[in-house]
Amino acid sequence: MNSIGGTDSSGPTADAQFPVRTPQRRRTIRTLAVTMAILVAVGSAAIGAVAVAGAESVPSATVGSQDAATDPTLVVSNGTVDPASNATHRIALTDAPEGLAGFEVTLALETEGVATIANASYPDRFALSSDPVVTSDEQTITLEAIDLDDAVTPGETNVTLAAVDVSGVDHGVTDLRVSDAQLDADGGDSIDPARAAGTLTVGNGGEDPATQNESAGDDGSDGDSVPGFAAGIAVAAIVGSAAVLVARRP
């Protein structure tokens, strides 16, 4: 009779069909299993972090969108206009905790040659106002008005101060920002608001027509990718490779 583990005329023995896993092989399998578990956990955490970061992106400031706890802000709205056409920017005070007695505000276009400032108008609630003053280069305007009838009450929000008319000159983009401001509350205290400029886009925004056509033909495959998807693929590839190594190891 052949020794245990040998072969005879009937074929391979049970030991030949089912190789015994040595202690070293079992340790290797356990090590790889732990490694794969760690990689999966790390990849899942990375995907979750990317998703949370995308969900918590903060939008740009808009009139009336500020939290009630924030300080008053002078906000200029955005605008779009074609060359030789007109557009209107609204300037507003987001919060007036103590009302508004009056204001003097100067606005300026940031980039010359893109647009000009034509004129401005005030809401009817301001009983006394001065004619808007536009500089000779048509890049700056000064507005001044007084609330004689206490139309702006304490605690009011989203208070429109004026509407500024602009004219497009050439394709491009420029900011319309508050360069100087003096505001007084009903009790005589000064209001020192933050300032948020508005953006004026004229025509195609100065973008090269060839580039604009390329953007229109883009299928958006890069921009529409799912956050964290690439990280998930990488983790899956690593786990798959480790599994193959385990299967091939004698």
Side-chain angles (χ1 to χ4, degrees), residues 211-229:
T211 304
Q212 197 172 36
N213 292 335
E214 290 175 2
S215 299
D218 189 359
D219 61 6
S221 58
D222 292 335
D224 295 336
S225 60
V226 179
F229 185 69

Side-chain angles (χ1 to χ4, degrees), residues 65 93 95 112 128 147 153 156 201 205 209:
S65 67
L93 180 66
D95 298 276
E112 294 185 4
L128 182 61
D147 183 14
T153 57
E156 189 169 338
T201 303

